[in-house]
Structures are given as C-alpha cells and as structure tokens.
Amino acid sequence: MMCFPRRLRDMVPLKISFIYLVISVLWIFSSDHLVGLLFTDSQVITQAQTFKGWLYVGSTAAVIYVLLRREIATYASTAESLRKTGQDLLDLLDAMPVGVALTDGTTIEYINTSFSERFGYSPDEIPTDEQWFLLAYPDPIYRRAVINQWQQELASAREQGVPIKPIEVRVSCKNGETRQVIANAQLIGNRIVVIFTDITERELLRNELAKMQKLESIGMLAGSIAHDFNNILTGIMGNLSYAQVLLDPSHPAQGPLASAEHGTTRAVDLTGQLLTFARGGEPVKKILNIGELISESMNLMLRGSKVRGVIELAEDLWWVEGDGGQLSQVLNNMIINALQAMPDGGRLRIGAENLRLTPSAGRSLPPGNYVHIEIEDSGHGMEPAVLERIFDPYFTTKERGTGLGLASTYSIINRHGGGITVDSSPGQGARFSVLLPATETPSAITEVPEPGRQPTKAVGQRRILVMDDEPAICEIASSMLNYLGYEVETCSGGAEAVTRYQQARAKNRPYDAVIMDLTIPGGIGGKEAARQILALDAQACLIVSSGYSHDPIMAEYQKHGFKGGLAKPYRVGDLARMLAAVLAE
C-alpha cells in the first residue's frame, strides 16, 4: 500500500474546509441581502429562504464533488508516480552486482536478487537477523566473533555518529560454498542498509599470485642446485652403470652396485621435484591418455595398503597434452598424501570427466576444454590453517615430510596451464580438484623401451666429441663411449667445440656426433655452440645434454637444431640408445 507524506494528508482536509467556509460565508451574506432587496412579503421571503437553502445545499454539494474528484485525481497521479519510482528503485537494487539487505536490527525487511543468487537464501529462509547469522556463519566461534564486531560497530555509529567500518567476513552459502565478502553498512533512521561485496575471486587470484611468487623465489635457487646436483649424479650413476657392465653378472659386487644405483635413482627423483620449481622449466609434452596414468598410479601406490581404491572415469574421456612423468608424479604425490591421511585404512576415489569452461564459469582459468580430475579420501581432513598453506613449498605436517610433494604438484599443474584446488574440513576427508587442458584428438604414443642391462656396441668406429665443463663427466662419458666402441674426444667449452669441429672437417675426419652440455658458466653453452656448428655444417648431428632436464631447449630440442636430448644423469644404456637412434637417421 502506497503511503502519502503526512503533511500532504493534513493539507487536503484543511484546504477543502477552507473553501467550504468561504463559500458558505459569501452565500449567507449575499443571499440574505439579495432576498431582502427583492421581496417584502414575509410569506414570499420564507419561500425564498427555503429555496435559497436547497440551492445552497445543491451548489455546495456540486462544488465539493468537483473538489474531491480533482483531489482524488491528484492523489491517484501522485500514487502512480510514487509506485513507479519505488519499482524503479527496486529494479535498480536488483540490478546491482552486489548483495543488498535492509533490516531494522531484528527483522530483515528486504534483500535484492543478487543477494539471493549469490548466497542462495530466499527471504523466507532468513526472516530475521538471528536466522541469517545462524545460516551464514555456522561455526559458533566464528559467528560470535562476527556478531560482536557487528554490534560494536553499530553501537559506535549510533552513539558517536561515526560511519560504520566495513567488515570482511566468510559467508557460508546454501550450496555449501564459502564466499569471502566485505559488508558495508549505513544507518538510515532506525533501519540499516548492508551491502555485501563479493571478493572471493579477487582473493583467489591474490592467493594464487602469492603462491606463484613463493614458487618463483625458490625456483631461481632450485634450478641451479638441481643442475649442479645432476652433474654430480652423472659421474656417480655413470660410473656405477659402467662398473656393472664391466663386471661379470655373477660377480659379488653386482648386488652392492645395483643398490647404489637404486639409491642414486632416488636422488634423481628428488632433483626432479626441485626442477618442477625451476624458473623457466617447461614440461616435455605429448598426447596422453590420462585415464591410463590414473589407473597405473592407483594400482602402484595402493599395493599392500589398507586403503580401498575406486576409479570412476568417463567413457569418452578427452586426451591431455602433457608430460607423462610429471603428471604421474602429480598423481603419486596426491595418492601418497591421501594414504598418509588414512593410516588405518579407508576409501580413496579418483574420478575424471570432461568439462567445458565458459567465460561465465567464474574460474581463473581461460574458457575451453578441460579434463576434471577429483581425488577424494575419507581421511582425517585438514584444519583451515593447514588448508591455507597446503601448497606452500617446504610446509609439512609430517615428521619426515620434505614439504615438496604438494608444492611440486601445484607447480606442475600450473606449468601445464591447469589449476588445482582442495576442499577439506576436520574429520571430513579431503577432495582435490585438478583441471588440465584437454585435446579431443588423440595421437600415437611412442613407447619408450625400458633400459636394458647390456648396451649394444657400435658397429665400426665412429667419432664422438663430448663438450662439458665438468672434468668428471668428460672422463666417465669418454670411458663409456670407448667401451661402446666409439672414438672419443672431449673439450670443456662451446668455443673450443666449434674450433675442434671445424678442424676435424678440414682434416676430413669429421665427428659423427657431438654431445654438448647446455650450460657452461662464463662461456659459450650448447645453444650458441650449436648455432655456430650448424652454420658450418647444416647436417651436423648434435645432442644436447643438461642436468636441467626441464629447460625449454630440452623440451623442444629439434627447434634449436639438435637431433636428440640426453638428460643428466645417464647410464651406459641411455648413452648407447641415444647414439644408436640419432646415428641411424
């Protein structure tokens, strides 16, 4: 019902009464005077007075009718104008991209459409402030803190006349989501208008940026450490594998050597985790069947455990373009994390489905096709403080944890153009959600044969040049190549490699292949040396080698003129297969 201003309501009766009084006074004086002038007979005067009275009644009724009709028309026009203005105001509030609520401090009188759509609650579900606080802040401790802050701000505003300070809160929505919002309130008489600005996406982006900055900060250090460590491991692993092929298979030293090589392999895995943080590192991508990777990781990691695994894969699951080794590492890390959360057994579910992200999906990832992977366990869950730091490098809640597992997982997924989130609460398990860019067109997957124990020797003499700044690597590479039947020369830098290559061509004794270290501190590395050699001989057979196996050049060595890429550390068999492959072309 539309209400008129009180002043307007009081003026209307006063206006009509005044008009009626004026007409009555004028009629009485003028009509009596006129009758006295026109008639002298008392009987005629009486009849004239009676006629005058009826005429007065009729004329005043007509005047009042006209006045009332005019006023009613004015009121109707005003009411329609006010109704339209009120509706325009409501439409404006509903169109606002923020939640708006009006309350008298006890009863919620109005909420706009954005409020209902964002938080999921209808006006019937939150008729009072108390009901809103119960639903929006289910945790009693957090709810009490919010209510106390809210009441303090209201009291200060009413007593001191100061503006109400904005409050940043976490609101629990009807669908179970938690939204980060800023509540701005304003006193209007006895009512309070509250505007809720959703900053969830902004906070997510800010947290993502903070994580990326942390990863970048350790990436610069991780790359150099892993590179140097892999150079050391190349000498160790190379000598171990070389010793194994030199000794008879029945020799007693074979067992200790195999154990030492296994330990070196574990060290290589650790440097692999460090390299996922390294600045500039890129995964070596190919088209993968992610469903097969999930099945392999689940079967491998759950073997011998008390946990029951469940795999749910969409029948038409899209393929993923990625680094198979790195993505297997991601799955293994998350499965290990789930197993550690269920020491007494439980249920681990991994599901994968196709997902098309639209521009309106509200995600930080660009629109497109993705494979959505969910890893859900029935473990003990995580506290909010742990949840906030779960992907931070070196953060761990385990006594023997390194804090690199989930941090490297986050880095790998990010390098693949995807995203990862986690949802958990104490006693409710944890659910990791991974999105990876998908491709609907599979391609043939080249199977890489397992390294054999006995390498194949070269047929005939082939000349190989090894360029590396580490004398130990040059020495072991030379020994392994000599064993394989190659003629070997070594040098320590790119400039010397170019000179030797040019001199060998001039003597008509060219090198059949050149193995080049990618990074030479303070000198010319493999990339620049390859450019200069290819300028001399476009058909040169060049192999790039680096302890920084995720370097972009290692991932796309063909684009830089190399025929192959040999990641450090490597065994005799790795070296034999690489040379056999490139020299057979």
Side-chain angles (χ1 to χ4, degrees), residues 247-303:
L247 292 174
D248 187 88
S250 62
H251 196 284
Q254 286 287 1
L257 287 173
S259 297
E261 186 181 20
H262 178 69
T264 308
T265 302
R266 293 183 60 187
V268 172
D269 293 338
L270 179 59
T271 59
Q273 288 191 345
L274 285 173
L275 284 170
T276 62
F277 300 111
R279 191 173 185 177
E282 294 295 334
V284 182
K285 294 182 179 180
K286 63 180 180 179
I287 305 299
L288 302 171
N289 185 331
I290 195 67
E292 291 183 358
L293 289 183
I294 291 173
S295 299
E296 290 172 4
S297 293
M298 182 76 95
N299 293 332
L300 176 65
M301 304 308 295
L302 295 191
R303 190 173 299 161

Side-chain angles (χ1 to χ4, degrees), residues 397-416:
T397 58
K398 305 172 182 67
E399 292 184 4
R400 297 185 179 182
T402 63
L404 291 177
L406 291 179
S408 62
T409 292
Y410 179 90
S411 180
I412 290 171
I413 295 299
N414 209 275
R415 290 273 171 86
H416 279 76

Side-chain angles (χ1 to χ4, degrees), residues 32-47:
D32 286 347
H33 182 67
L34 182 59
V35 169
L37 291 175
L38 295 176
F39 307 105
T40 55
D41 188 345
S42 59
Q43 185 176 1
V44 175
I45 291 175
T46 300
Q47 292 176 348

Side-chain angles (χ1 to χ4, degrees), residues 146-167 183 185 187:
V146 172
I147 292 175
N148 289 340
Q149 187 178 4
W150 171 251
Q151 291 176 343
Q152 289 174 6
E153 292 297 333
L154 281 179
S156 298
R158 284 171 174 156
E159 294 171 5
Q160 305 174 18
V162 296
I164 300 176
K165 295 179 181 178
I167 302 175
L187 286 173

Side-chain angles (χ1 to χ4, degrees), residues 41 75 145 161 167 185 215 222 227 240 273 290 303 317-318 396 430 442 466 473 483 528 536 560:
D41 188 345
Y75 294 159
I167 302 175
L215 293 174
H227 175 270
L240 288 172
Q273 288 191 345
I290 195 67
R303 190 173 299 161
L317 194 63
W318 289 327
T396 180
V466 177
I473 295 178
Y483 171 80
E528 176 59 25
L536 298 172
H560 301 274

